[in-house]
Amino acid sequence: MAGRPVPWLGSLFLVSLWGASAPASILRRLGEHIQRFQESSSLGLSLGPGAVAIPREGWLEQPLDPFNASDRRSFLQRYWVNDQYWTSQDGPVFLHLGGEGSLGPGSVMRGHPTTLAPVWGALVIGLEHRFYGLSIPAEGLDVAQLRFLSSRHALADVVSARLALTRLFNVSSSSPWICFGGSYAGSLAAWARLKFPHLIFASVASSAPVRAVLDFSEYNDVVSRSLMNTAIGGSRECRAAASSAFAEVERRLRAGGAALATLQAELGACGSLRRAADQAELLGALQALVGGAVQYDGQVGAPLSVRQFCGLLLGDRDNCSSPASYLGLRRAVQVVTHSLGQKCLSFSRAEAVAQLRVTEPQVSGLGDRQWLYQTCTEFGYYVTCEDRGCPFSQLPALPSHLELCEQVFGLSSSSIAQAVAQTNSYYGGQTPGATQVLFVNGDTDPWHVLSVTQALGPSESAILIPSASHCSDMAPERPSDSPSLRLARQNIFQQLQTWLRLAKESQVKGEV
């Protein structure tokens, strides 16, 4: 244990995975907004009537380079503990892994671990990811330091944290540790079980994109399908209106002059649209706005659902002309920027690059520089719209995303492609071969196409929830939840019941 460093970041634990350009910034801030909204509305409520338990914050001293015993440097890694339900030293431990953002107390007070903990008397621990939130090494975020930021380093932290916390809380050696995580942290949960099955008994991986991919055009394929999904308020007319709105934006960009100035004013753009790079960023930002409506559809705190977005686009359902749908897109921009507390729509490429080059930890807890580094060196995940059926603009194209890695970190396109291939080789992509892992996805979520959506074997289970969005199974339960989402949560409970019964039987055999 070590002292607490000076805090400079906010508290969230789930943000969008998209990279770190202007369009990515919108999606990541949407994720942060929704997470904070859900955390503030559920904090304390999940502990039951009259409960006043407050999660405890703690710190672990972790090696900066766990793969080099001669390197004595270390950093402080934050964790949260909720022991309200823990009934015995040999009870299970539910370990909620943090991802590409700050980890708040809500990590041990809401979602699967806390909802399920009372049933089995579990100790709930949340572990913040290295280089995010308050768990940033004192030396900062220059490239020499970022060499120690990767999923493999994060998994090494899980191992050392499990051992240290076992001693700290006097957890029985026979207690089963179960990992939980959503989005990138969901992948970590699955990989923790894959690589360290002797330490992690089982994992629940929600919306986990375990396949790395350079060109993630499939993201917009799902967005396009979801805009036509009548179960969530979509329609063919809505998708056609979205395509029409983007065509109108591109027409005005090409026209230049007064049309460009009008477009800038009508969309509430922060700066000039004269540069081609900034025009591409604007189109990407608008794509991200639509993608966010799909990715977080129906979640508490989301500014726009698919139903609401389609309502704005269509207005008069018999009118799919460019001006009508474009007006709806303008209104959608206003709704989202207002919800995020932004005065205007940011899209400056030069400004994004300048911010991403800053090596001091930022006031925002999003960790944009850190996550861009991980996409450049491990995952890719660059969302494009180059397929013929994509309803949006073909800009920004893949080279624009790859160029960001070069501009910020000096990394070549070929090195990024090689890194993506190595990640899939190391973890197994969508056939990881990990036993006692439950993959949970929603088919509205664009990220489900990179996850495991069908059972790969008797102990490699999967749940695909109809019309559910990104990590929706992890959100606090509410009366408006769909029957399919309720059923999925019951199935998660039953799967844990099966695993923990196995663990108990193993404990009994060990005592005999």
Side-chain angles (χ1 to χ4, degrees), residues 305-354:
S305 64
V306 169
R307 189 178 304 279
Q308 291 166 331
F309 176 67
C310 289
L312 291 175
L313 279 187
L314 294 172
D316 176 3
R317 294 186 67 86
D318 297 325
N319 186 355
C320 283
S321 67
S322 292
S325 56
Y326 166 71
L327 179 63
L329 183 61
R330 281 176 52 196
R331 288 173 178 162
V333 170
Q334 291 167 0
V335 169
V336 172
T337 52
H338 177 74
S339 294
L340 298 181
Q342 297 180 349
K343 295 179 179 178
C344 53
L345 184 63
S346 176
F347 55 85
S348 168
R349 176 71 170 207
E351 191 176 298
V353 171

Side-chain angles (χ1 to χ4, degrees), residues 60-75:
L60 295 173
E61 187 171 352
Q62 296 275 38
L64 181 64
D65 185 357
F67 308 118
N68 180 5
S70 64
D71 189 335
R72 309 298 296 177
R73 290 176 296 173
S74 64
F75 73 101

Side-chain angles (χ1 to χ4, degrees), residues 225-298:
R225 289 200 304 271
S226 297
L227 291 179
M228 296 188 287
N229 184 354
T230 56
I232 58 174
S235 65
R236 290 188 177 277
E237 293 80 9
C238 176
R239 185 193 177 283
S243 181
S244 183
F246 273 82
E248 177 67 9
V249 172
E250 289 201 275
R251 185 190 70 78
R252 295 184 182 213
L253 287 172
R254 287 193 300 270
L260 203 60
T262 302
L263 179 70
Q264 180 180 329
E266 289 179 344
L267 290 179
C270 294
S272 168
L273 283 168
R274 288 191 296 272
R275 296 184 182 88
D278 292 342
Q279 293 182 9
E281 289 286 291
L282 171 68
L283 289 164
L286 294 174
Q287 281 185 46
L289 185 144
V290 181
V294 171
Q295 180 167 317
Y296 297 112
D297 178 64

Side-chain angles (χ1 to χ4, degrees), residues 259-435:
L260 203 60
T262 302
L263 179 70
Q264 180 180 329
E266 289 179 344
L267 290 179
C270 294
S272 168
L273 283 168
R274 288 191 296 272
R275 296 184 182 88
D278 292 342
Q279 293 182 9
E281 289 286 291
L282 171 68
L283 289 164
L286 294 174
Q287 281 185 46
L289 185 144
V290 181
V294 171
Q295 180 167 317
Y296 297 112
D297 178 64
Q299 297 197 27
V300 173
L304 280 179
S305 64
V306 169
R307 189 178 304 279
Q308 291 166 331
F309 176 67
C310 289
L312 291 175
L313 279 187
L314 294 172
D316 176 3
R317 294 186 67 86
D318 297 325
N319 186 355
C320 283
S321 67
S322 292
S325 56
Y326 166 71
L327 179 63
L329 183 61
R330 281 176 52 196
R331 288 173 178 162
V333 170
Q334 291 167 0
V335 169
V336 172
T337 52
H338 177 74
S339 294
L340 298 181
Q342 297 180 349
K343 295 179 179 178
C344 53
L345 184 63
S346 176
F347 55 85
S348 168
R349 176 71 170 207
E351 191 176 298
V353 171
Q355 290 176 350
L356 288 164
R357 284 176 172 167
V358 175
T359 59
E360 293 82 22
Q362 300 300 290
V363 174
S364 165
L366 287 172
D368 286 341
R369 175 176 168 85
Q370 300 95 296
W371 182 245
L372 176 63
Y373 182 80
Q374 286 197 262
T375 68
C376 296
T377 56
E378 291 191 87
F379 303 123
Y381 296 150
Y382 302 121
V383 176
T384 65
C385 192
E386 297 168 12
D387 294 346
R388 182 170 296 178
C390 185
F392 313 121
S393 169
Q394 293 192 346
L395 298 174
L398 181 61
S400 174
H401 294 289
L402 300 178
E403 188 182 49
L404 202 56
C405 297
E406 166 68 35
Q407 291 174 318
V408 178
F409 301 116
L411 297 169
S412 67
S413 298
S414 60
S415 74
I416 304 164
Q418 185 178 10
V420 167
Q422 288 175 342
T423 296
N424 288 329
S425 176
Y426 185 70
Y427 292 119
Q430 286 172 295
T431 54
T435 59

Side-chain angles (χ1 to χ4, degrees), residues 1-2 58-63 74-79 127 157 160-162 164-165 168-169:
M1 293 290 291
W59 302 87
L60 295 173
E61 187 171 352
Q62 296 275 38
S74 64
F75 73 101
L76 295 177
Q77 185 171 29
R78 181 168 60 165
Y79 66 90
L127 184 67
D157 292 339
S160 55
R162 184 212 182 283
L165 293 167
L168 189 63
F169 293 101

